[in-house]
Amino acid sequence: MKWTKFYLPDAYSPTMEQLVYFHDHTMSIITSITILICILLNSLLWNKLIELNMNEHQMIETWWTILPTIVLFLIAIPSLKILYSMEELINPTISIKSMGHQWYWSYEYSDKFCKELESYMKYNKKNDFRLLEVDNKMKAPFLTQIRMIFSSSDVLHSWTIPCLGIKMDAVPGRINQSSLMIKKPG
């Protein structure tokens, strides 16, 4: 096991880049809070607690109520920005319909030319990505706005590509859609 396996996959879309930046932002806040708590606990362990004038300090109580709300706003505002940008559709050039079936996915390109393909999962081999390798891969152009339409014919399915930062559920009788833009070929 390498240390590089513990981090997020390389970002191939603007959405995933924003998610990686948000992860780093949130982890820096959590790390600074953890260090502050460790310092305060260390000072409590070595303190004799003989200070008798520490009974009434409304100012400290006010600050330890205000500071967590500020920290929550520092986390919530970027999070909401990313959530709204993930739901935004910006003039898609191509629409790809993805239909989940019991053991496979079917894809339909219907904007400029009609093409349909079925994609079955491959069995686990040594160099394959587990549960991600298929026999017919869905091909999508890069640097192009794509609208993905998801549905299912039988049961709930989850369609995901981790390096693009997209994960959508396919529900029978319901159509979900998502915007996608790939920045690098591959």
Side-chain angles (χ1 to χ4, degrees):
M1 177 69 83
K2 295 181 182 176
W3 285 104
T4 56
K5 302 273 183 183
F6 289 119
Y7 197 64
L8 299 169
D10 292 337
Y12 282 86
S13 71
T15 303
M16 188 61 184
E17 286 176 354
Q18 289 178 355
L19 288 172
V20 169
Y21 292 145
F22 176 69
H23 173 267
D24 295 342
H25 168 72
T26 307
M27 287 306 292
S28 65
I29 291 174
I30 290 172
T31 304
S32 62
I33 289 172
T34 305
I35 290 171
L36 178 68
I37 295 296
C38 287
I39 290 171
L40 290 175
L41 282 174
N42 189 23
S43 70
L44 267 175
L45 288 175
W46 298 107
N47 193 357
K48 300 279 189 222
L49 296 175
I50 56 171
E51 180 69 38
L52 298 176
N53 295 328
M54 293 283 289
N55 290 336
E56 301 241 351
H57 281 286
Q58 283 88 16
M59 188 58 87
I60 286 181
E61 291 176 4
T62 304
W63 279 108
W64 74 41
T65 304
I66 291 174
L67 284 178
T69 57
I70 292 171
V71 168
L72 288 176
F73 275 112
L74 287 175
I75 293 173
I77 290 172
S79 171
L80 289 173
K81 180 184 163 207
I82 292 171
L83 283 174
Y84 281 116
S85 70
M86 287 172 72
E87 292 294 323
E88 193 175 43
L89 282 174
I90 308 168
N91 295 331
T93 308
I94 296 174
S95 293
I96 302 173
K97 180 178 159 188
S98 178
M99 203 60 177
H101 300 281
Q102 188 71 35
W103 295 103
Y104 65 97
W105 287 89
S106 63
Y107 299 102
E108 181 181 324
Y109 301 84
S110 59
D111 283 340
K112 299 190 182 346
F113 54 90
C114 267
K115 182 180 179 184
E116 294 182 21
L117 63 103
E118 293 178 347
S119 181
Y120 290 90
M121 192 169 29
K122 280 186 179 178
Y123 290 109
N124 221 4
K125 292 183 181 169
K126 189 173 184 178
N127 294 331
D128 288 347
F129 289 111
R130 185 174 178 272
L131 300 177
L132 289 176
E133 288 294 325
V134 293
D135 57 355
N136 289 327
K137 295 182 181 181
M138 181 195 83
K139 293 177 177 61
F142 69 100
L143 298 177
T144 304
Q145 278 296 120
I146 303 167
R147 176 191 1 228
M148 293 292 300
I149 301 170
F150 304 99
S151 189
S152 174
S153 64
D154 46 17
V155 295
L156 293 174
H157 294 279
S158 182
W159 192 90
T160 181
I161 301 178
C163 61
L164 294 179
I166 184 170
K167 183 175 178 104
M168 188 63 68
D169 291 330
V171 181
R174 182 176 173 190
I175 295 176
N176 288 336
Q177 71 176 357
S178 179
S179 178
L180 177 67
M181 187 172 117
I182 305 168
K183 289 183 76 173
K184 299 175 189 173

